[in-house]
């Protein structure tokens, strides 16, 4: 049996079409959605993701402002820019591409973005609201994963879900969203004993561990839905330079019922949900100003 491919690119195209319609309606009312992206340093991977985010905005009719800083920029320069963007009513979303260079206190930077423009959903207030299943900005990668899971039609209520990884930007919000959807969730991490005991129980397995091809077919329950959040560039061996996920796709696809590819899976959906959060922010601003 080989797994059905969950095509993140195709799903992204479909959802971005709906987002473009909403963005055009907002522009017609004088509230064109606008996303500000700050990139600090010249990490090649971050540059690709930021380029894809800006390109996604352009195609969806969302205005984008991009601010690039050298890796040694003083934190107060960035904090001053955030204050300016927070105060600018024409800006609806603000994103500071992570990771940040060592002179930054990452939590302080994320908290400096006003809650109603925190389209990453990383601000503690949005995290708190999400944990109480209240209206909040949902972090883009976990939200994109939920959209992909919905597209498979697999029931989430009562499903055994296992998340490998407990990061603030993926693992923890992922577990929260799956819990809110009624799944029974196990979060595994570097301290977990007998990882395969947990992964082999999972109807839904989300790999966000940051290790290339870490999850193999032997670790997967036959027929499970496998979501690969990993994005690794291989440095050695025959595939050097190629992108791969945290899942060993070839062996996993022999066992899983459905699986996401890397590239072409979670990545495009992450960007799609960022665009949606920016449109949601502009829709809220339009309602507040009575447009
Ligand atoms: N403040 C912040 N918010 C983020 O959402 C955020 C971040 N920082 N830092 C890094 C991670 C990673 N991330 C990705 C976005 C798009 C692709 C993407 O476009 N992936 C393509 C491949 C891109 C390529 O060719 O390298 C794909 O999987 O098909 C991947 C990863 C967002 N992140």
């Amino acid at each position: 049996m080989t797994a059905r491919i969950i095509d993140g690119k195709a799903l992204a195209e479909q959802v971005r079409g709906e987002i473009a319609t909403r963005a055009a309606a907002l522009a017609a009312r004088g509230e064109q959605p606008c996303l500000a992206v700050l990139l600090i340093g010249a990490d090649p991977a971050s540059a690709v993701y930021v380029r894809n985010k800006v390109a996604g905005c352009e195609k969806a009719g969302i205005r984008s402002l991009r601010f690039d800083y050298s890796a040694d920029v003083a934190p107060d320069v960035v904090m001053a820019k955030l204050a300016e963007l927070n105060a600018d009513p024409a800006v609806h979303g603000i994103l500071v591409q992570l990771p940040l260079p060592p002179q930054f206190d990452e939590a302080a930077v994320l908290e400096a973005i006003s809650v109603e423009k925190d389209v990453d959903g990383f601000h503690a207030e949005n995290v708190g609201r999400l944990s109480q299943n209240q209206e909040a900005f949902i972090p883009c990668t976990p939200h994109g994963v939920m959209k992909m899971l919905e597209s498979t039609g697999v029931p989430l209520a009562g499903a055994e879900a296992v998340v490998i990884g407990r990061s603030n930007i993926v693992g923890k919000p992922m577990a929260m969203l799956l819990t809110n959807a009624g799944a029974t969730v196990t979060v595994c991490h570097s301290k977990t004993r007998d990882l395969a005991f947990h992964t082999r129980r999972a109807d839904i397995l989300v790999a966000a561990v940051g290790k290339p091809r870490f999850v193999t077919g032997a670790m997967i329950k036959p027929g499970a839905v496998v979501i690969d959040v990993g994005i690794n560039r291989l440095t050695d061996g025959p595939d050097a330079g190629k992108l791969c996920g945290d899942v060993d796709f070839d062996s996993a696809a022999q066992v899983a019922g459905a699986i996401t590819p890397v590239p072409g899976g979670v990545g495009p959906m992450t960007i799609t949900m960022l665009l949606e959060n920016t449109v949601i922010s502009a829709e809220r601003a339009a309602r507040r100003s009575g447009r």
Side-chain angles (χ1 to χ4, degrees):
M1 162 234 284
T2 54
R4 186 167 72 78
I5 303 293
I6 304 173
D7 185 342
K9 263 174 97 83
L11 183 59
E13 284 301 308
Q14 179 202 321
V15 178
R16 292 188 198 192
E18 295 150 18
I19 291 168
T21 304
R22 290 163 67 184
L26 282 158
R29 292 154 60 187
E31 193 80 54
Q32 183 185 16
C34 175
L35 172 69
V37 181
L38 285 73
L39 175 62
I40 299 159
D43 166 54
S46 295
V48 168
Y49 308 150
V50 165
R51 197 176 64 232
N52 289 351
K53 292 175 183 181
V54 169
C57 282
E58 301 308 308
K59 271 189 76 180
I62 296 171
R63 200 157 67 88
S64 63
L65 304 171
R66 176 175 168 162
F67 302 96
D68 289 65
Y69 298 91
S70 61
D72 61 357
V73 66
D76 56 12
V77 170
V78 171
M79 298 304 249
K81 174 54 74 177
L82 291 178
E84 182 195 314
L85 293 167
N86 283 336
D88 184 345
V91 172
H92 303 100
I94 302 170
L95 175 146
V96 180
Q97 188 71 13
L98 301 179
L100 294 178
Q103 72 270 27
F104 284 88
D105 169 353
E106 210 163 87
V109 172
L110 297 178
E111 294 302 297
I113 297 171
S114 51
V115 178
E116 66 272 1
K117 299 191 181 184
D118 168 40
V119 289
D120 259 329
F122 296 163
H123 190 291
E125 182 163 336
N126 275 313
V127 174
R129 295 172 68 80
L130 183 71
S131 74
Q132 290 167 356
N133 214 351
Q134 289 177 1
E135 187 182 77
F137 279 122
I138 300 173
C140 304
T141 295
H143 198 182
V145 169
M146 292 305 283
K147 290 271 186 193
M148 295 172 98
L149 287 173
E150 283 156 26
S151 76
T152 65
V154 168
L156 299 182
E160 286 289 341
V162 170
V163 178
I164 312 175
R166 54 176 167 172
S167 72
N168 287 339
I169 70 174
V170 181
K172 285 182 192 163
M174 189 75 256
M176 193 56 67
L177 286 174
L178 287 165
T179 303
N180 290 349
T184 301
V185 182
T186 303
V187 179
C188 297
H189 41 73
S190 55
K191 305 282 190 295
T192 297
R193 288 193 298 274
D194 194 354
L195 179 63
F197 163 75
H198 297 286
T199 58
R200 277 202 293 266
R201 283 186 306 108
D203 304 312
I204 293 161
L205 180 58
V206 180
V209 66
K211 289 184 183 152
R213 296 178 173 158
F214 178 73
V215 178
T216 61
M219 296 167 69
I220 294 170
K221 178 181 178 183
V225 177
V226 177
I227 307 283
D228 189 351
V229 179
I231 179 102
N232 308 289
R233 196 161 295 277
L234 289 168
T235 48
D236 47 26
D239 295 339
K242 263 182 74 177
L243 265 186
C244 74
D246 292 348
V247 175
D248 175 54
F249 185 88
D250 293 344
S251 66
Q254 300 308 313
V255 179
I259 187 167
T260 63
V262 177
V266 171
M269 283 307 293
T270 294
I271 292 180
T272 300
M273 303 326 288
L274 171 67
L275 304 178
E276 180 167 273
N277 278 350
T278 305
V279 164
I280 288 169
S281 178
E283 286 169 343
R284 288 177 185 162
R287 268 198 302 279
R288 280 196 300 269
S289 60
R291 279 202 175 95

